[in-house]
Amino acid sequence: MRREIELLREAMGRHGVSLCLVPTADAHESEYPGEYFAARKYLSGFTGSAGTLAVSAGWAGLWTDARYFLQAERELAGSGVTLYRMGEEGVPSLEEELSDRLPEGGVLAFDGTVVNRRLGSSLKDLASGKGGRVLLLDLPGEIWEGRPALPCEPVFSLDLVYAGESRKEKLSRVRARMQEAGGELHVVTALDDIAWLMNLRGNDVPCNPVFLSYLILSMERAWLFVQEGTVPGDIRKELLGDGVELREYGAFFEELPSLCEGKTVMADSRKVNEQAWSCLGVAADIVDLPNPAAVFKAVKNSVEQENLKKAHVKDGIAVTKFLYWLKTQAGKKSVTEGEAASYLEQCRKGQENYLGPSFATIAAYGAHGAIVHYQAEGDGVRLLPEGFFLVDSGGHYLEGTTDVTRTVALGPLTAGQKKHFTAVLKGMLALGDAKFLKGCRGESLDYAAREPLWAMGLDYHHGTGHGVGYLLNVHEGPNAFRWRPPSEGAGTAVFLPGMVTSDEPGLYLAGEYGIRTENLLLCKEAEKNEYGQFLEFEHLTMVPLDLEAVDWEEMDRKDIRRLNRYHAKVRETLSPYLEGEELKWLLEAAREV
C-alpha cells in the first residue's frame, strides 16, 4: 500500500470525506498537466497521461483506457490500487463504482479547479442521489510535501507571417459568435483557445506551447489573466492596443463574479472548471456552448497551410536522416531505445525554427511496441537486428506542429509480422486516398483505415486520428477519425477544408510486437458537381515507409499505386535537401515498386 494514499485517507477523515476523486487534469483541461497538477501520479504511482483515481477508507481504484492497460498493470502492482480497464466487458464505469461505494449521506470530495463543469455536475447529481453532497477541496494538496511550483515561463508573440490572421480579426470573429448566441461575456479557460486567439505562445505545459491563463471577453473589452512577469513590455503594449487588459492569474476566481454579475455569459461546460462555474451563479444566464475559437482554429488559414507544408519538409528531412542512421547502425552498434529517441531529437534540432517536441517520443522495440504509449525506463532495451522498432514522435516549429509514426524492420521478420504490417499500411494509405462529400464526419471515414484489419478479425483500441493544432496541442479537436461516436458529441465535427488530422491505424499483440503507421493529412476541396462539394486529403508527412516489411502478396494494384504516389512525392520533396549516402538511401527506400 502506498504511503501517499494512507496520508490522503487521514486527510479525508479530518474533513469527513467518504470518497475522494483525483483526475488527471489541470485547471484548463490540458492534455498534459504539469507536475504541479500531477496529484494522481503522486498518489498512485501510475505515470500514464490518462487516468482517474478514486479513494475511500478501505478501497482505491484507477480507471484508464486501453492505451495504458499494460503499463498501469505493471506500475500499480503492490500499490493497493485496483485497475479498472475502461471499455472492457464487465468493468464498471467510474460513475457506477462511485455510486456503489459512496454511502448514504456520504461526502464526495474533489479539487474543483481540475474537474470540468460537465463532470462536476454529474458528480453532484451522483452524490445527491445518495442523499450526500460534494466538497470542492484539494485534499492531495494538503498532504503533498515538496509539491512543484506552478510553471511560469515567458510568453512570446506569434508573428503574422506564421499566424496568418491578426488578434483583432480573431477577436472580431469570436465576438460575432457571441452576439449570435446572445452572450454579453465569454469566459475562456482552455489554454490552446486562448493562445490561438491572442496570437501568443508559451511553455507552461509539457510539449504544448501554451501559457497558464484565463480570458474574459465582452463585446468591447478583454481581460487576460496571466502570471506576473510572464508577458514582456512590448507585448503588453500590443495587447493594450487591441483592447486586452492584463490581470493577475491568481485573481481570476476573485474577479470573475464581479465581471459576470447580471450578464449573459457564454462558457463551455466541457472546458470551464467547476470552481469557475460556481462563480457564474451571479450571472443573469449562462449559454453553454463550445468555444468558437476551438472551431475556428481547427480550420487552418492559407498562411498556416503553407507554413505547415514547410514544417513537414523540415520534419521529413530530420526523420529521414534518423531512419537512415537507424537502418545502418542498429544491430551493428549498440543502440538502445533511449539513444535512438535522443538521436531523432538531435536531427530535429538541426532544423531551422525548431522549438521542441510536440509530445514525449515513443521509441519502442519488440514487445514494447504493443504498449501504445510506451515510455522507456532509463535508456530502455537494446535494439537487436531483428523484429520491429516503433517510433512515434513529433515537433513544434514556428511553421507548425508535426506528428509521425514509423514502424521499422531492423532485420528478419516472420510472415505474420509482414502480413500485419501490410494490413496497417494499406489502411493508412486507403484513408489518405479517400474522397468524400462535404458533410462527412470521422465516423463516416474511419472504416477505410480499419477494413484490412477487420477483414482479418483484428482491430486496435484507439481512434484512427486526431486533429492537430498549429504550433499548439498535437491532439486538438473537434475533428477526428473514429468509428465509435464519442459521448456528448465531442470530436464528431464535419470535416472542412483546412483541417489537419492524423491517420494512424495500428495493431498491438501483447508480449510480441506493435505496429503503427501515421501521417498527417490536410483536408482540401476536390471537384464540385451535381452531387455536391467533394473533399479529399493531402499527405503533409514526408517520410519513407519501410518497404522491407511489406508482404507484397497482400498488396493489390490499388494499394501499390497509392504507395508509389506517396513515395514519389517523398522523393521529390526531400531529395533536394539530402546528399551522399543519405540521398542514396532515400532513393532506394522510397523507390517505385
Side-chain angles (χ1 to χ4, degrees):
M1 178 62 65
R2 287 180 63 85
R3 175 177 175 272
E4 292 83 357
I5 290 182
E6 290 301 323
L7 290 174
L8 177 66
R9 286 179 171 137
E10 292 176 10
M12 290 167 60
R14 291 193 295 271
H15 291 278
V17 171
S18 313
L19 271 174
C20 181
L21 185 74
V22 186
T24 305
D26 64 9
H28 307 276
E29 288 293 298
S30 302
E31 182 179 7
Y32 303 117
E35 288 303 307
Y36 175 86
F37 296 100
R40 187 266 299 154
K41 182 174 76 171
Y42 166 75
L43 292 167
S44 70
F46 170 59
T47 62
S49 68
T52 301
L53 175 70
V55 179
S56 70
W59 161 88
L62 185 138
W63 280 256
T64 193
D65 62 58
R67 296 172 298 169
Y68 298 104
F69 288 168
L70 296 177
Q71 178 182 343
E73 185 177 355
R74 182 179 72 249
E75 293 181 344
L76 294 177
S79 68
V81 180
T82 300
L83 173 61
Y84 290 77
R85 295 172 172 83
M86 293 171 60
E88 294 283 278
E89 188 174 351
V91 175
S93 69
L94 173 67
E95 290 78 7
E96 290 170 340
E97 192 71 11
L98 290 180
S99 181
D100 286 344
R101 301 259 177 194
L102 185 67
E104 288 292 329
V107 176
L108 171 61
F110 56 85
D111 180 356
T113 68
V114 298
V115 169
N116 67 51
R117 168 59 180 177
R118 195 74 61 95
L119 175 58
S121 179
S122 69
L123 292 173
K124 285 183 175 179
D125 290 344
L126 184 153
S128 178
K130 300 296 289 282
R133 63 188 178 92
V134 301
L135 183 62
L136 303 185
L137 187 62
D138 180 14
L139 286 175
E142 287 192 10
I143 64 163
W144 194 344
E145 295 181 5
R147 185 176 194 171
L150 275 176
C152 190
E153 298 292 326
V155 170
F156 66 94
S157 182
L158 191 66
D159 194 272
L160 265 180
V161 298
Y162 302 115
E165 186 179 10
S166 72
R167 185 183 300 115
K168 277 188 174 180
E169 290 170 321
K170 291 179 177 181
L171 286 168
S172 178
R173 282 210 280 161
V174 169
R175 284 173 171 139
R177 287 294 177 89
M178 288 171 58
Q179 191 169 29
E180 291 173 9
E184 296 174 89
L185 285 180
H186 179 29
V187 176
V188 190
T189 62
L191 302 183
D192 52 332
D193 292 345
I194 296 171
W196 177 85
L197 190 51
M198 294 289 103
N199 278 349
L200 299 175
R201 298 295 188 268
N203 193 33
D204 283 343
V205 175
C207 298
N208 291 348
V210 296
F211 53 99
L212 293 180
S213 54
Y214 296 99
L215 179 67
I216 302 175
L217 291 180
S218 74
M219 297 304 293
E220 300 84 21
R221 301 172 66 186
W223 297 268
L224 178 63
F225 294 78
V226 294
Q227 296 187 87
E228 187 176 354
T230 59
V231 182
D234 57 338
I235 296 179
R236 284 174 172 267
K237 290 180 181 178
E238 292 174 5
L239 289 166
L240 196 58
D242 289 335
V244 181
E245 301 176 28
L246 293 186
R247 300 289 178 89
E248 171 56 35
Y249 177 76
F252 173 71
F253 293 106
E254 180 183 342
E255 296 194 31
L256 180 59
S258 60
L259 288 171
C260 293
E261 187 172 4
K263 302 286 198 311
T264 298
V265 179
M266 188 168 77
D268 186 350
S269 61
R270 297 170 306 166
K271 298 291 187 180
V272 174
N273 62 58
E274 180 67 22
Q275 190 77 41
W277 200 275
S278 68
C279 296
L280 301 181
V282 297
D285 192 18
I286 301 175
V287 181
D288 186 359
L289 288 173
N291 295 336
V295 179
F296 292 153
K297 76 181 192 302
V299 178
K300 278 54 178 176
N301 60 49
S302 58
V303 171
E304 290 173 320
Q305 290 181 39
E306 289 307 308
N307 282 330
L308 277 165
K309 293 175 184 179
K310 294 175 184 176
H312 280 84
V313 173
K314 296 178 181 182
D315 211 57
I317 295 167
V319 179
T320 299
K321 285 176 174 286
F322 164 75
L323 291 177
Y324 164 76
W325 171 85
L326 182 70
K327 284 283 195 177
T328 56
Q329 298 299 314
K332 298 181 179 66
K333 295 183 178 180
S334 178
V335 177
T336 65
E337 293 168 324
E339 288 168 344
S342 295
Y343 189 84
L344 176 53
E345 178 66 7
Q346 289 178 33
C347 293
R348 283 198 169 99
K349 285 180 177 177
Q351 300 301 311
E352 186 180 11
N353 291 340
Y354 177 68
L355 301 179
S358 55
F359 57 96
T361 295
I362 298 168
Y365 175 65
H368 289 163
I371 304 172
V372 179
H373 278 198
Y374 169 76
Q375 290 296 308
E377 296 180 4
D379 275 341
V381 300
R382 181 171 173 265
L383 309 186
L384 302 176
E386 61 184 24
F388 285 130
F389 181 51
L390 186 156
V391 185
D392 187 351
S393 68
H396 290 302
Y397 303 80
L398 285 176
E399 292 84 3
T401 298
T402 69
D403 182 2
V404 53
T405 308
R406 289 295 182 264
T407 303
V408 183
L410 296 184
L413 301 175
T414 67
Q417 286 174 318
K418 285 192 170 187
K419 186 173 183 178
H420 290 157
F421 177 93
T422 305
V424 172
L425 173 66
K426 290 169 63 173
M428 190 278 286
L429 291 171
L431 179 56
D433 198 40
K435 182 182 287 188
F436 53 96
L437 276 169
K438 187 175 182 179
C440 280
R441 301 171 184 264
E443 298 94 314
S444 310
L445 301 168
D446 183 88
Y447 176 72
R450 292 186 194 262
E451 189 277 335
L453 288 166
W454 281 3
M456 299 164 63
L458 301 170
D459 194 24
Y460 47 95
H461 299 300
H462 59 72
T464 298
H466 53 84
V468 178
Y470 181 92
L471 187 51
L472 276 174
N473 300 354
V474 73
H475 300 127
E476 175 185 281
N479 45 304
F481 296 120
R482 50 168 68 102
W483 69 268
R484 196 195 313 265
S487 61
E488 301 177 348
T492 59
V494 169
F495 272 81
L496 297 172
M499 286 182 168
V500 176
T501 316
S502 71
D503 170 7
E504 48 181 312
L507 182 64
Y508 312 94
L509 303 183
E512 297 185 50
Y513 53 86
I515 301 165
R516 185 163 62 253
T517 302
E518 175 188 17
N519 277 5
L520 295 192
L521 305 177
L522 172 64
C523 184
K524 63 181 188 179
E525 289 187 344
E527 70 267 26
K528 185 176 183 179
N529 55 31
E530 66 271 24
Y531 300 105
Q533 177 67 61
F534 282 86
L535 303 176
E536 61 187 2
F537 296 117
E538 175 182 350
H539 288 276
L540 289 174
T541 305
M542 291 288 110
V543 176
L545 300 156
D546 196 342
L547 300 179
E548 295 179 13
V550 177
D551 180 346
W552 297 106
E553 292 185 2
E554 295 291 321
M555 297 278 283
D556 61 27
R557 290 183 178 180
K558 182 178 287 187
D559 298 323
I560 292 175
R561 283 199 300 270
R562 288 169 174 161
L563 176 62
N564 281 337
R565 278 202 306 270
Y566 176 69
H567 269 166
K569 187 175 181 182
V570 171
R571 293 195 306 271
E572 177 185 355
T573 301
L574 300 185
S575 291
Y577 303 97
L578 299 173
E579 57 186 20
E581 291 299 313
E582 289 176 334
L583 176 58
K584 183 179 178 182
W585 180 85
L586 168 68
L587 296 178
E588 174 63 19
R591 67 188 182 276
E592 184 171 350
V593 295

